[in-house]
Amino acid sequence: MALAPLSQIPADVVAVDDYIELAKARMSPQAWAYFSGGVADERLLADNIHAWHQYSVMPRVLSDFDGATTAFSLLNKTHPFPIFCAPIAYQRMAHPAGELASALAAAAMETPYIISMQSSTPLEPLCEQAPGTKWLQWYWQTDESASQKLLSKAQALGIEAIVLTVDAPVNGLRNREQRAGFALPADIQAVLLEDFDIPPLPQGAPGESPIFGSGFLANTPNWDKVEQFMENCPLPVMLKGILHPLDAQKALEVGAKGIIVSNHGARVLDILPPTARVLKSICDLIDGRIPVLVDGGIRRGSDVFIALALGATAVMIGRPYLYALAAAGAPGVAHVLHILRTELEVCMALSGCTTPAQIKSIELLSH
């Protein structure tokens, strides 16, 4: 039986991974499989974490730290430190307050919060009760009327950008979820999609091609559709799920306001590269013309530091704050953000960097 959320954070929770077992004890086996699992054999799930460990930092000493800061600017707005809360669906499966608890913690820590299009909490309380920077993650929809209605609502509620996920034309084969018999609980649903006319998945006949023969991919987006979406969208659009430099170049050409280097948390294809391994080539190509964010396996402030040294503008975290949400609600989420910011500042102080911009000039050794 799942345990109730903690009323007080234990003193021995000093790193974000200390929340893992606490979270597991407070979720059903099905919810745990959904949030913690990857795809297929889950090789990428581990690689995402370990890839950040291939780098070491060459520090400089005796720096002048007068005026040192973790603040940075993105989309004409200054934020106190370069960490975002990534979009995670159905957070009420992890904690009764779900997305609202996460958003409140992010607001308290002045951390930008990205709302999942599959949020189990409506937009209104997330935007009205939790002030601060909000973006909305978006999956491609064929219902144009409902799409424009939701985009207009998002703009009216003060959401500042749309994060269009482009790397999941089909769901990955999440064997851990399948083995656990995962299904959404009856009281959990994607409330933002209630007004959308979403056609049922085509069922191919026995012996037919299960994906290509079903007609399912006929309405998936392509570059022309994405460009049209961005032209009609009332908010800046970031493209999430970029791993190849040529796709980064194309995103730049069609007018994306930023890109997010992501492999979907290792939840779509197990043979993709970890984001730490491809980040530098993409940042080198973009060369500062638009922001580049990155997610995937970030568990320490040192991982944040390395991502910035490789050229990223900021990072996004997912599972670390979700586990803290499950364990301790909003205080846990705020605690995780505080831990990561503290670790980042310690890294900066001990490597001689006084600003996020200065981190980009630090020398990295790969091994």
Side-chain angles (χ1 to χ4, degrees):
M1 183 175 177
L3 301 177
L6 295 162
S7 59
Q8 184 173 350
I9 298 170
D12 60 354
V13 176
V14 296
V16 301
D17 280 355
D18 292 337
Y19 278 104
I20 292 175
E21 292 304 317
L22 296 173
K24 185 176 182 181
R26 285 161 175 80
M27 288 193 219
S28 70
Q30 294 76 26
W32 177 252
Y34 177 81
F35 287 121
S36 68
V39 69
D41 297 318
E42 299 187 344
R43 293 181 297 173
L44 182 56
L45 194 62
D47 286 348
N48 266 350
I49 295 172
H50 296 314
W52 298 107
H53 304 168
Q54 70 180 303
Y55 297 103
S56 299
V57 170
M58 288 295 289
R60 301 300 302 273
V61 297
L62 301 176
S63 297
D64 182 357
F65 288 101
D66 184 35
T69 181
T70 54
F72 77 107
S73 295
L74 178 61
L75 298 183
N76 300 315
K77 192 170 185 178
T78 299
H79 304 282
F81 57 103
I83 299 175
F84 282 55
C85 287
I88 300 178
Y90 306 122
Q91 291 183 36
R92 286 183 52 237
M93 287 197 301
H95 186 277
E99 291 85 357
L100 182 56
S102 297
L104 286 168
M109 294 298 295
E110 299 183 79
T111 300
Y113 181 78
I114 305 175
I115 302 167
S116 170
M117 198 178 198
Q118 294 175 317
S119 171
S120 51
T121 304
L123 287 184
E124 288 85 351
L126 297 179
C127 295
E128 294 168 359
Q129 298 180 35
T133 299
K134 301 286 187 305
W135 294 359
L136 175 62
Q137 181 259 352
W138 193 273
Y139 286 108
W140 179 263
Q141 303 294 324
T142 57
D143 188 336
E144 294 185 8
S145 175
S147 294
Q148 287 303 315
K149 182 179 177 182
L150 182 56
L151 288 170
S152 297
K153 177 191 283 189
Q155 184 183 30
L157 288 169
I159 286 172
E160 298 174 23
I162 297 298
V163 175
L164 179 62
T165 296
V166 296
D167 63 351
V170 296
N171 286 331
L173 296 174
R174 302 173 189 171
N175 294 157
R176 195 196 298 201
E177 288 181 31
Q178 293 170 326
R179 294 184 186 111
F182 173 76
L184 279 177
D187 62 336
I188 304 290
Q189 56 187 310
V191 296
L192 307 191
L193 296 174
E194 289 178 342
D195 294 334
F196 281 76
D197 181 15
I198 301 176
L201 297 179
Q203 300 296 318
E208 286 187 349
S209 168
I211 302 297
F212 297 136
S214 69
F216 176 68
L217 295 176
N219 293 316
T220 55
N222 54 33
W223 284 109
D224 289 340
K225 292 178 181 178
V226 166
E227 186 172 14
Q228 184 178 21
F229 175 85
M230 291 191 295
E231 289 175 353
N232 295 329
C233 185
L235 296 168
V237 178
M238 317 275 287
L239 298 188
K240 179 177 179 288
I242 302 294
L243 291 173
H244 199 293
L246 292 180
D247 286 336
Q249 177 64 41
K250 185 68 174 179
L252 190 67
E253 292 171 359
V254 300
K257 300 305 181 184
I259 60 173
I260 299 170
V261 177
S262 174
N263 54 39
H264 213 103
R267 293 165 65 81
V268 289
L269 185 61
D270 210 17
I271 55 176
L272 297 177
T275 51
R277 203 168 292 162
V278 300
L279 177 60
K280 187 177 188 307
S281 61
I282 291 174
C283 290
D284 286 349
L285 183 148
I286 294 298
D287 194 27
R289 288 174 286 181
I290 56 176
V292 177
L293 281 68
V294 64
D295 67 10
I298 292 168
R299 300 294 185 269
R300 287 282 187 181
S302 54
D303 301 335
V304 180
F305 184 96
I306 289 167
L308 300 185
L310 292 170
T313 308
V315 308
M316 304 193 324
I317 61 165
R319 288 183 176 95
Y321 88 79
L322 189 282
Y323 295 155
L325 170 69
V333 176
H335 187 217
V336 156
L337 293 168
H338 176 76
I339 288 171
L340 291 173
R341 182 178 184 177
T342 301
E343 290 180 347
L344 173 60
E345 292 190 8
V346 168
C347 278
M348 292 174 65
L350 294 178
S351 62
C353 294
T354 60
T355 65
Q358 194 176 14
I359 295 174
K360 298 185 188 306
S361 62
I362 202 77
E363 182 181 353
L364 294 179
L365 301 179
S366 60
H367 47 83

